[in-house]
Amino acid sequence: MIRMHDPNVTDYSMGEWASGRKNGIRFFRYSRNMTENPSTYKYLDKPGYWGVHAQGEVYAEILFEMANDLIDVHGFHPTLFPPPFNSTDANGFYSEEILQKTGKRVPAHGNTLALQLVIDGMKLQPCRPSFVNARDAILTADQALTGGDNQCTLWKSFAKRGLGPGARVVGSTPWGGGVHEEDFDVPKKCRGGKHEDDRAPKPKPGKPGRGERQFGDRQAQRGRKGRAAAAV
């Protein structure tokens, strides 16, 4: 849901014309308004949210918030496509300041930066990622790409929809079960306190999130305990 041509904040539906419904084929329209679209991380526990499309709707809403928050900070570029390689950057697609400082070509605008962070995050996250894995991968991507310039903006976006530092799944199962616990807070450094990273401990991208250990790990642990008991 990263806007490509529309510089104005707009609520979007998916398949509205084809379905004949205001909200289209999704439960809610994509919106920054919590009344128009109230979905949060905890919605994954609701009936009707077991399927990948319904779960993806919640994640897409979180990315919709993220993209728009980045646009608020960095502005909007009329195209998502960078200039051809070895050509001049006549339209200012990349940040000249970052290019001069680091030699990196970093998208200068919110919508283009959001797309880059999502793509870079997909390279860092594990197979079958959880929401927490995907969130952490995007934060790591920003750290690598911009030196972490957008960390608080990103945390604000995630936390608004319940995916703050303490968000986790309790009692996760291989088929996606478990209870989702939300966190609407942001790290202390993003609340105007001391500039320190006091986030709840989290794994690196590629590792299961807290409360999201894989079924096989628990089985292996039980097996070790059973063998130890038999040896006594």
Side-chain angles (χ1 to χ4, degrees):
M1 298 305 300
I2 298 173
R3 289 184 276 122
M4 181 174 177
H5 300 299
D6 191 352
N8 301 309
V9 177
T10 308
D11 293 346
Y12 290 93
S13 58
M14 176 69 70
E16 180 177 348
W17 180 85
S19 64
R21 298 174 61 249
K22 175 187 174 183
N23 294 335
I25 59 175
R26 301 293 181 242
F27 288 112
F28 306 102
R29 304 173 75 195
Y30 293 104
S31 174
R32 302 175 86 177
N33 187 314
M34 294 295 291
T35 301
E36 180 71 26
N37 188 328
S39 59
T40 64
Y41 185 52
K42 184 66 175 176
Y43 268 56
L44 300 183
D45 291 341
K46 289 180 174 288
Y49 280 85
W50 284 91
V52 293
H53 294 287
Q55 292 179 0
E57 176 182 343
V58 177
Y59 186 62
E61 174 60 30
I62 295 173
L63 294 185
F64 184 81
E65 295 278 8
M66 183 194 82
N68 280 294
D69 285 342
L70 288 172
I71 290 170
D72 288 345
V73 175
H74 300 289
F76 182 85
H77 197 272
T79 177
L80 295 175
F81 299 102
F85 187 69
N86 285 335
S87 68
T88 58
D89 185 12
N91 294 321
F93 185 90
Y94 296 111
S95 169
E96 184 65 26
E97 179 182 358
I98 296 179
L99 182 62
Q100 293 297 326
K101 285 183 179 180
T102 67
K104 293 181 180 179
R105 296 183 182 274
V106 178
H109 301 85
N111 56 325
T112 54
L113 179 60
L115 179 60
Q116 188 67 63
L117 292 177
V118 170
I119 292 175
D120 288 354
M122 291 173 69
K123 301 174 186 177
L124 296 169
Q125 68 191 21
C127 296
R128 301 182 65 186
S130 67
F131 276 45
V132 171
N133 291 145
R135 178 203 68 191
D136 292 347
I138 289 175
L139 288 161
T140 302
D142 176 67
Q143 190 70 48
L145 187 66
T146 72
D149 289 347
N150 304 286
Q151 294 289 289
C152 288
T153 300
L154 296 173
W155 274 119
K156 171 189 170 186
S157 307
F158 293 130
K160 179 179 177 180
R161 297 288 172 169
L163 199 58
R168 62 174 187 160
V169 178
V170 178
S172 62
T173 64
W175 49 88
V179 178
H180 295 80
E181 291 188 354
E182 297 180 320
D183 182 12
F184 294 94
D185 207 351
V186 294
K188 186 182 294 184
K189 69 174 184 178
C190 301
R191 301 196 299 265
K194 294 182 179 180
H195 193 81
E196 59 185 44
D197 189 351
D198 66 338
R199 285 171 287 180
K202 67 178 183 62
K204 297 179 181 178
K207 300 293 184 181
R210 182 163 56 109
E212 295 176 322
R213 292 179 59 85
Q214 299 301 311
F215 180 73
D217 294 339
R218 295 198 298 271
Q219 290 294 87
Q221 186 177 24
R222 291 169 184 166
R224 288 194 294 270
K225 289 181 179 179
R227 289 193 295 272
V232 174

